[in-house]
Amino acid sequence: MDKKYLKQVAVYFLTTVVSLGVMLYIGYHLFYGLTQKVDTEPALISTVSFRLTADAYIFRDEIPLASSGGGSLVPAVSDGERVGIGDVVSRRYDSASPDILARLEEINLQLDVIGEMQQRNLSVRDTASVDSEIYALLAEISRSGASGDADSLLARRASLTAALNRRTLLIGASGDPAAAADALRSEKKQLTAQLGACRAEITTSRSGYYYADCDGYESAFTADAALSATPEEFLRLIEAEPGKAAAGGKIAPGYTWYAACITRDSTAASFAVGKKYSVSFPYNSGTALQMTLVRLVESEDGTFLVFSCTALPGDFVFTRSQPIAVTAGEYSGIRLPLSALRAVDGVSGVYVLSGGIVRYRAVSVLAEGEDWFLADPDPEADPPAEMQWLSRNDIVITNGRGLYEGRILQ
């Protein structure tokens, strides 16, 4: 057979195979480019709050009030009430009756609620907010019970009782608030009489704010400790055993108190000493207070933060240990999933879909979370060379393969 002929056949065969391969390759990519589906979402403005959560400890100057003997100790003033030198803050009676003491505590809470209602002129239209508070407290109590957290249960008990009493009074089940208050005072007088003779009256040697409960940590968690303790000393302090709790309650002579915590949350790096932050307390029905950061100390155990406050809400429960949530700051920008963020030629950006054509848009990242990022909608700087900034309402491709500038998608 002619070798020249065989060589020509081989060349034709190889040319045909290569041509078919090129045609298949081009056809595949044309089909892939025209039919591939991508996930998209519009570039919309959103506001993101950065919050740090931690277990905090309350520090403040407190003077325990000694009281000895049996019987029942009945507070004569409400928790958080301002008292003067020599004022009677509690009385000790002959009989010891836990049931009567529990009812007296409920009556005091109800009287406080009625006083609050009269001051704020609340009516039935305000029950929605109270209902929300009750549901939130019930959920927290359920979680605390499931986890065996007795401290949380006790801390929420007073808040739930007050909320339930407030709702009962708001819907008018107890009639006129003034008449209800008179009835409660009468019941309180009758119950107190059942406790027998008054053995002793507990008076104050200092003016300040009275609180009935003591935990034995009054001499350790002081204002000086909050302002001077190292992170290591703080950790040893919270692990220490409490001393013997005073039976007569305690006086907080000043109105400044502190909440201290140690955290490994990276959000703490953005905090600044001297700046005010909104700090919420879940154990206190989510009460949010403006507190000033007075200390920030980095350590191997984390960031040691100390916040100070001078507000003393009437129904605030100063449980020694309680969680806090600190709002570190708020940012407004275009919020998108991290899957959309890419880098082209060293420039961070996203792909957008414009008239079926893929375009690349640069972004200036303001903040970033676990699965999202926030882009500046109005960067002050000029965009990188031959690029445009991402704009509001652009259709952003959040998921897709093989994307590039100018690619056609349908």
Side-chain angles (χ1 to χ4, degrees):
M1 186 177 292
D2 188 353
K3 291 183 179 181
K4 185 177 181 180
Y5 173 75
L6 291 175
K7 186 176 180 180
Q8 289 177 339
V9 170
V11 170
Y12 291 147
F13 177 75
L14 290 174
T15 301
T16 301
V17 171
V18 171
S19 298
L20 287 173
V22 170
M23 291 174 63
L24 288 173
Y25 178 82
I26 294 174
Y28 168 78
H29 282 280
L30 284 173
F31 176 80
Y32 182 77
L34 293 173
T35 61
Q36 184 195 12
K37 292 184 178 180
V38 294
D39 297 326
T40 62
E41 66 177 68
L44 302 178
I45 300 298
S46 178
T47 299
V48 178
S49 295
F50 286 85
R51 291 165 65 88
L52 177 150
T53 58
D55 291 324
Y57 291 80
I58 304 301
F59 288 73
R60 61 178 178 170
D61 290 330
E62 298 168 326
I63 303 172
L65 301 174
S67 176
S68 59
S72 298
L73 191 69
V74 179
V77 296
S78 301
D79 265 14
E81 185 174 335
R82 177 80 180 179
V83 296
I85 297 174
D87 285 354
V88 176
V89 294
S90 61
R91 296 180 175 89
R92 185 171 292 282
Y93 293 87
D94 279 332
S95 176
S97 175
D99 291 340
I100 292 180
L101 290 177
R103 177 54 187 157
L104 287 172
E105 183 179 355
E106 291 177 0
I107 290 174
N108 287 333
L109 286 172
Q110 287 178 301
L111 288 171
D112 290 341
V113 169
I114 292 175
E116 179 187 353
M117 289 175 57
Q118 291 174 326
Q119 288 180 357
R120 296 168 56 190
N121 194 28
L122 296 179
S123 64
V124 68
R125 65 179 177 271
D126 299 294
T127 56
S129 60
V130 179
D131 288 342
S132 298
E133 179 182 347
I134 290 171
Y135 293 140
L137 285 167
L138 288 173
E140 291 292 337
I141 288 172
S142 176
R143 286 192 287 270
S144 298
S147 63
D149 190 347
D151 289 340
S152 299
L153 289 172
L154 292 174
R156 288 173 173 80
R157 182 189 64 176
S159 296
L160 180 61
T161 301
L164 290 170
N165 289 336
R166 192 181 301 118
R167 190 184 194 285
T168 299
L169 293 168
L170 284 173
I171 63 176
S174 299
D176 178 64
D182 290 339
L184 288 170
R185 293 189 188 98
S186 176
E187 182 185 357
K188 180 179 180 180
K189 185 176 180 180
Q190 294 173 6
L191 290 173
T192 303
Q194 296 178 31
L195 294 174
C198 178
R199 288 186 179 184
E201 291 183 336
I202 312 302
T203 59
T204 63
S205 59
R206 290 280 301 274
S207 61
Y209 302 89
Y210 172 76
Y211 296 89
D213 293 331
C214 294
D215 59 8
Y217 285 112
E218 285 76 18
S219 62
F221 286 78
T222 64
D224 284 344
L227 296 174
S228 62
T230 65
E232 294 73 22
E233 290 170 340
F234 170 77
L235 290 174
R236 287 196 296 269
L237 185 60
I238 64 178
E239 294 295 332
E241 292 296 324
K244 184 178 180 181
K250 60 191 177 186
I251 297 294
Y255 48 78
T256 301
W257 55 280
Y258 305 87
C261 65
I262 280 188
T263 178
R264 292 189 179 276
D265 193 319
S266 59
T267 304
S270 65
F271 286 5
V273 172
K275 185 177 178 181
K276 288 185 178 293
Y277 295 91
S278 176
V279 182
S280 61
F281 294 80
Y283 279 16
N284 282 277
S285 305
T287 297
L289 301 173
Q290 288 294 309
M291 304 187 73
T292 303
L293 181 64
V294 294
R295 295 187 68 195
L296 187 156
V297 183
E298 297 289 352
S299 72
E300 294 181 355
D301 299 297
T303 305
F304 181 43
L305 303 171
V306 181
F307 297 89
S308 72
C309 186
T310 56
L312 294 171
D315 57 351
F316 195 87
V317 181
F318 283 90
T319 305
R320 187 69 62 185
S321 173
Q322 52 184 297
I324 61 172
V326 186
T327 301
E330 290 186 343
Y331 293 90
S332 290
I334 299 172
R335 179 167 175 162
L336 295 167
L338 270 180
S339 59
L341 188 60
R342 302 169 186 269
V344 173
D345 297 331
V347 177
S348 297
V350 296
Y351 285 109
V352 302
L353 200 56
S354 178
I357 300 175
V358 175
R359 300 298 185 189
Y360 191 73
R361 298 290 184 257
V363 298
S364 175
V365 178
L366 292 173
E368 191 172 313
E370 289 186 4
D371 57 0
W372 57 268
F373 71 96
L374 208 64
D376 189 343
D378 299 297
E380 293 182 0
D382 293 329
E386 299 182 1
M387 289 189 181
Q388 297 180 32
W389 290 118
L390 176 68
S391 299
R392 296 176 180 84
N393 301 317
D394 279 346
I395 304 302
V396 180
I397 299 175
T398 58
N399 239 324
R401 295 179 301 167
L403 301 174
Y404 54 85
E405 173 73 22
R407 180 174 178 179
I408 298 175
L409 292 179
Q410 290 183 353

